[in-house]
Amino acid sequence: MKIKTILFVIICTMWLVACDSTRETINTIEIQELINFEEEKPDTLQLISDVKDIKIIEKTFKKAREFGEVDNQIVPQYKIKLSDGEYYLWIDHTKTGTIANIKSRNMFYNIRASEEFKEAINYKNK
């Protein structure tokens, strides 16, 4: 009986280690200011590598709530590259923002644009 228990614990441990190692770790997030949907503003690329800032940005994006499809012509302020894709970001002085995956830019998601998030992306209220 002891051998079965030990074997079970070893298998479970190996499985947990394997699952954890497949999780992708983001080392850098790229943020670029935009002129229009296709054109980036020169000399505005930011590489966010601070672990705390990366976690804040990831958490904000993961908590995004679907708003729905909108035929939008308003140019986003930023393009953000995460491990799971590229996103447009519309943000202002309020506590909310909007994101859309570049591949489906008419499907909008609302985010909570906390001061912590704004600091993490170096947002400047314009």
Side-chain angles (χ1 to χ4, degrees):
M1 184 68 173
K2 275 187 168 183
I3 293 176
K4 286 182 180 180
T5 305
I6 293 171
L7 188 58
F8 177 74
V9 170
I10 291 172
I11 291 171
C12 287
T13 303
M14 289 172 46
W15 180 73
L16 287 172
V17 169
C19 287
D20 192 48
S21 66
T22 59
R23 197 185 120 196
E24 190 169 339
T25 303
I26 298 177
N27 295 325
T28 305
I29 293 176
E30 293 182 22
I31 301 176
Q32 182 80 45
E33 290 184 43
L34 298 175
I35 295 172
N36 57 46
F37 283 98
E38 288 78 32
E39 192 177 358
E40 298 168 342
K41 194 179 284 187
D43 303 319
T44 60
L45 177 65
Q46 296 180 64
L47 300 176
I48 308 294
S49 58
D50 181 78
V51 174
K52 181 182 174 194
D53 289 341
I54 289 171
K55 285 182 181 179
I56 291 167
I57 295 167
E58 283 183 314
K59 182 178 174 184
T60 300
F61 274 60
K62 285 179 182 172
K63 289 185 171 186
R65 297 202 179 256
E66 186 176 312
F67 176 77
E69 268 194 69
V70 177
D71 184 23
N72 179 36
Q73 301 304 316
I74 299 171
V75 176
Q77 290 96 329
Y78 300 98
K79 178 170 64 174
I80 299 180
K81 290 183 185 179
L82 298 174
S83 65
D84 66 344
E86 293 182 71
Y87 298 87
Y88 292 122
L89 170 64
W90 292 263
I91 192 169
D92 61 18
H93 65 281
T94 64
K95 296 272 186 208
T96 61
T98 304
I99 60 172
N101 190 302
I102 287 179
K103 293 180 181 176
S104 57
R105 79 178 204 198
N106 290 334
M107 181 56 75
F108 282 64
Y109 297 84
N110 289 331
I111 61 166
R112 183 173 180 275
S114 66
E115 290 304 315
E116 194 177 44
F117 174 76
K118 289 177 180 179
E119 286 176 22
I121 65 166
N122 298 310
Y123 170 73
K124 298 165 196 76
N125 192 4
K126 298 171 186 171

